[in-house]
Amino acid sequence: MACKLVILFFFVNLLMQIPKVRATVPAIIVFGDSTVDPGNNNQVSTVLKSNFEPYGRDYYGGQPTGRFSNGRIATDFISEALRIKPAIPAYLDPKYDIEDFATGVSFASAGTGYDNATSDVLSVIPFWKELEYYKEYQNKLRKHLGKDEANQRFSESLHLISIGTNDFLENYYIFPTRSSEYSVDEYQSFLIGIASNFIRELYKLGARKVVIGGLPPMGCLPLERTTNMFFGSDCIDEYNDVAKDFNKKLQGAVTELKQELGGIHLVMSSPYDKLMEMIRNPSHFGFEDAETACCGTGFFEMSYLCDNMNPFTCSDANKYVFWDAFHPTEKANAILADYVVKTTLAEFQ
């Protein structure tokens, strides 16, 4: 009992320490994959869903929303830190309307990637379609607020992009199509080109504040450790090296785009080092396990394999860095958000 109280105190204290800043950013607009999808996949014909228990058991009211976590995801905490609202809704969620979306919305889809071929794997929303939804949203907001006020909001809103892991772990290293067409280096450049063009399109649509996330240490995700079981379930160094190389290239592209697009406030946020710090030294953050996940056996379960029928799910997710075999717990998301707010987003405060 005493141990649980200590962990609870640590988590509450962490949330209180996330900086509360003045709302110079009126809204947060989100694009990406499952790291930032609050439930768009609920409305898509795909097997990649999380709108059932035990997902969301630590969310408001204990309700599963489609977030791939036991509670909130990083963008929710970022929104709260910017004093906008405590959670960002999914654009396709019928419970919300343009008034809700005026201060923040996510177009993200779990399982998607920069590459259209990645979204085809599990029949989720392709990255280009997220941009089309954004255009639709812009038209709705202009009708809601008026053209001038809406356009000003687009320029002042923070546009967050978190995507790319699925392109490698769900596509390149699984299916032969892309790996036969591109070397890893060439594929990285191919994806960087898509990312750059996406930012150019956002710029044309009036976005001036953009944050793009790099790749995490994807070789240390529980699912990848499981595939490396015959080698001691260590992190897969090759995948981590790919992530680090990709992040260097992405930073180079960001530097070039800042020179190309006048007036843009564009920065890159990398979750790599902070997440790796949690994985290597979990006790420093109040975790007990950074190798396996809370849900199920912790080795491979996610989506429908992580359900209430699985008897192995842990009782306290706050002890774990990962909720399922691919995604962080709410507590880990809070730590990552705190890091982003204090570093990358300091430029926007």
Side-chain angles (χ1 to χ4, degrees), residues 6 31 33 54 75 100 105 195 208 212 247 249 252 256 276 306 328:
V6 170
F31 306 89
D33 56 23
T75 40
D100 301 301
V105 61
R208 291 298 180 268
I212 185 166
N247 291 346
K249 289 184 178 182
E256 292 177 2
M276 182 60 86
C306 171

Side-chain angles (χ1 to χ4, degrees), residues 51-322:
N51 56 339
F52 46 82
E53 296 177 349
Y55 285 98
R57 72 182 191 187
D58 297 310
Y59 191 75
Y60 299 114
Q63 295 298 312
T65 61
R67 288 168 170 81
F68 279 80
S69 185
N70 59 302
R72 288 190 287 172
I73 52 181
T75 40
D76 295 324
F77 289 111
I78 290 172
S79 176
E80 183 175 58
L82 296 179
R83 288 188 174 178
I84 300 175
K85 53 188 176 184
I88 297 178
Y91 182 64
L92 298 182
D93 192 329
K95 295 195 304 290
Y96 302 98
D97 57 25
I98 191 61
E99 186 171 352
D100 301 301
F101 299 146
T103 52
V105 61
S106 175
F107 304 100
S109 175
T112 200
Y114 288 113
D115 188 352
N116 288 339
T118 302
S119 62
D120 289 341
V121 173
L122 291 169
S123 300
V124 297
I125 302 169
F127 196 38
W128 65 265
K129 183 64 175 179
E130 293 185 25
L131 192 65
E132 292 302 306
Y133 281 138
Y134 179 53
K135 293 176 183 178
E136 181 181 88
Y137 160 78
Q138 285 194 325
N139 290 332
K140 292 179 180 178
L141 196 64
R142 289 189 181 104
K143 292 179 181 178
H144 179 66
L145 297 179
K147 182 178 179 180
D148 292 341
E149 185 176 346
N151 288 342
Q152 182 177 358
R153 179 157 300 199
F154 300 142
S155 67
E156 294 178 350
S157 294
L158 189 62
H159 296 71
L160 297 178
I161 304 168
S162 177
I163 195 171
T165 302
N166 296 320
D167 290 304
F168 293 98
L169 300 186
E170 185 185 299
N171 184 358
Y172 188 86
Y173 285 111
I174 300 297
F175 299 103
T177 304
R178 289 308 193 200
S179 57
S180 64
E181 292 177 327
Y182 302 101
S183 66
V184 172
D185 182 71
E186 291 170 340
Y187 191 59
Q188 289 174 333
S189 298
F190 170 69
L191 299 179
I192 296 293
I194 295 172
S196 296
N197 286 333
F198 191 89
I199 292 171
R200 290 187 182 99
E201 290 301 314
L202 285 179
Y203 181 83
K204 290 177 184 177
L205 293 170
R208 291 298 180 268
K209 298 178 180 180
V210 182
V211 177
I212 185 166
L215 298 183
M218 54 191 185
C220 292
L221 301 178
L223 181 62
E224 305 313 315
R225 284 180 182 265
T226 300
T227 65
N228 204 31
M229 189 172 292
F230 291 111
F231 297 94
S233 296
D234 291 332
C235 297
I236 300 178
D237 291 336
E238 178 188 353
Y239 292 176
N240 286 347
D241 289 341
V242 167
K244 287 186 285 188
D245 290 342
F246 179 88
N247 291 346
K248 289 178 182 177
K249 289 184 178 182
L250 184 59
Q251 183 59 67
V254 165
T255 301
E256 292 177 2
L257 286 167
K258 288 169 71 173
Q259 297 174 344
E260 174 188 335
L261 305 175
I264 195 170
H265 197 167
L266 171 65
V267 294
M268 176 185 162
S269 174
S270 177
Y272 189 99
D273 291 337
K274 180 56 64 174
L275 185 53
M276 182 60 86
E277 189 180 345
M278 283 189 265
I279 291 168
R280 287 177 173 168
N281 191 14
S283 61
H284 178 73
F285 299 91
F287 296 113
E288 295 181 8
D289 193 333
E291 296 184 7
T292 60
C294 169
C295 196
T297 63
F299 295 118
F300 61 88
E301 293 94 342
M302 64 177 287
S303 192
Y304 285 109
L305 293 177
C306 171
D307 60 20
N308 261 354
M309 300 299 291
N310 196 315
F312 301 105
T313 298
C314 77
S315 59
D316 186 359
N318 288 333
K319 295 179 180 180
Y320 291 76
V321 173
F322 294 99

